[in-house]
Amino acid sequence: MCLAAGAITRTWHFPYLDSNGNRQEHRFKLHEPSYIGNDIGFKTWGAAPLLAKKLIQQNLIPDLKNRTVLELGSGTGLVGLCCDKLGARKVYLTDYHESVLKNVVINVQLNQSRATVSKLDFIQIAQQYHPPEKNNNNNNTNDLAITSSSWEDYGKKFDIVIASDLLYEMEHAEYLPLAVEKLMENEFSFMIPLRPTHVAEVELFEIRMGQVGLIKEHVSETECEEEEGIVRYRYYKYTRASTSSTSSSL
């Protein structure tokens, strides 16, 4: 089956209660280009708004204002834009498709965000640093809002690494934990759909996360009704052993 959709710009609404118990709302305007087939980064999939909702309504990262956040596989950028809206010290929105990154730049501008958009391939990070290919005659990325990235740029650890819906292939499950371990200073927050077609990917991801020494501090699941029916999602919070006084699985 070949998926296809036309371009659309829509506004996502996330209500919440402020410190005085008054109802407020965060809004995010997202442009989704037309796509065909495997252009999955052009669509806002269900895991991203669910993670954004948790960030806003559950104060998922209480000290976010003091944290630097790296989002892997940003797609349309919703989760990272949410972190920036909530006051994170610095937010990096990353993906490895240049066409996806160009659209993230549009969404950063639509939301007047301070976030930085940058190219990053987490599989390449996991496989150790490989110098970026230099091809000055085939560089169609002219937008200055997209910064070039290399292992030197990302050699430091980020306070928070955050992501949603990245386990589409076994390769992703194999390499994502390695990349997270390299890039994460304190915490990794991750939301995924539990697709019956991707059970093996989820199992391998969990095994590899344990093998790289990261602690599964929290796991929770929720169900949402979507176009294709009821979809179950799982949220993970991983930490390093030195930052986790207790380890629990809910």
Side-chain angles (χ1 to χ4, degrees), residues 9 16 18 35 49 71 101 111 113 132 144 169 177 181 210 213 230 235:
T9 299
Y16 68 97
D18 64 18
Y35 68 92
E71 184 183 13
L101 291 170
N111 292 277
S113 173
L144 294 178
E169 300 175 13
E181 197 284 325
I230 299 297
Y235 168 74

Side-chain angles (χ1 to χ4, degrees), residues 62-241:
D63 57 345
L64 186 59
K65 289 180 172 58
N66 299 317
R67 302 297 192 98
T68 299
V69 178
L70 172 70
E71 184 183 13
L72 298 175
S74 294
T76 59
L78 176 59
V79 174
L81 290 170
C82 178
C83 290
D84 181 62
K85 174 82 77 172
L86 294 174
R89 184 172 60 200
K90 183 67 178 176
V91 177
Y92 296 86
L93 306 179
T94 70
D95 208 292
Y96 74 99
H97 287 295
E98 287 198 0
S99 55
V100 170
L101 291 170
K102 289 179 180 179
N103 185 60
V104 176
V105 169
I106 292 173
N107 288 332
V108 165
Q109 294 169 346
L110 285 173
N111 292 277
Q112 299 181 324
S113 173
R114 303 166 299 136
T116 296
V117 180
S118 190
K119 184 175 182 179
L120 186 151
D121 183 347
F122 71 79
I123 292 177
Q124 192 176 82
I125 294 295
Q127 294 174 330
Q128 302 298 327
Y129 170 63
H130 296 283
E133 294 181 3
K134 294 182 179 180
N135 187 349
N136 296 328
N137 296 323
N138 190 31
N139 185 359
N140 297 319
T141 304
N142 297 318
D143 199 316
L144 294 178
I146 300 177
T147 63
S148 62
S149 65
S150 68
W151 178 245
E152 282 84 1
D153 296 328
Y154 292 99
K156 64 177 181 178
K157 302 282 190 179
F158 294 81
D159 296 322
I160 304 289
V161 175
I162 200 163
S164 61
D165 202 357
L166 293 185
L167 302 180
Y168 286 93
E169 300 175 13
M170 292 297 282
E171 184 181 43
H172 300 156
E174 184 74 43
Y175 288 119
L176 179 61
L178 294 170
V180 169
E181 197 284 325
K182 287 176 179 293
L183 296 167
M184 182 190 92
E185 179 68 40
N186 298 314
E187 299 174 12
F188 175 51
S189 291
F190 191 34
M191 180 77 76
I192 59 169
L194 297 176
R195 304 182 183 94
T197 54
H198 291 72
V199 173
E201 285 85 349
V202 174
E203 291 177 348
L204 179 60
F205 162 77
E206 293 188 354
I207 291 170
R208 293 291 184 260
M209 288 295 281
Q211 289 175 341
V212 300
L214 299 179
I215 305 298
K216 189 192 301 179
E217 184 176 283
H218 177 83
V219 179
S220 59
E221 294 186 5
T222 187
E223 291 184 345
C224 294
E225 186 172 355
E226 300 182 0
E227 292 180 1
E228 63 269 36
I230 299 297
V231 179
R232 192 162 189 84
Y233 289 88
R234 180 175 293 166
Y235 168 74
Y236 298 93
K237 178 184 176 182
Y238 283 90
T239 63
R240 294 190 180 277

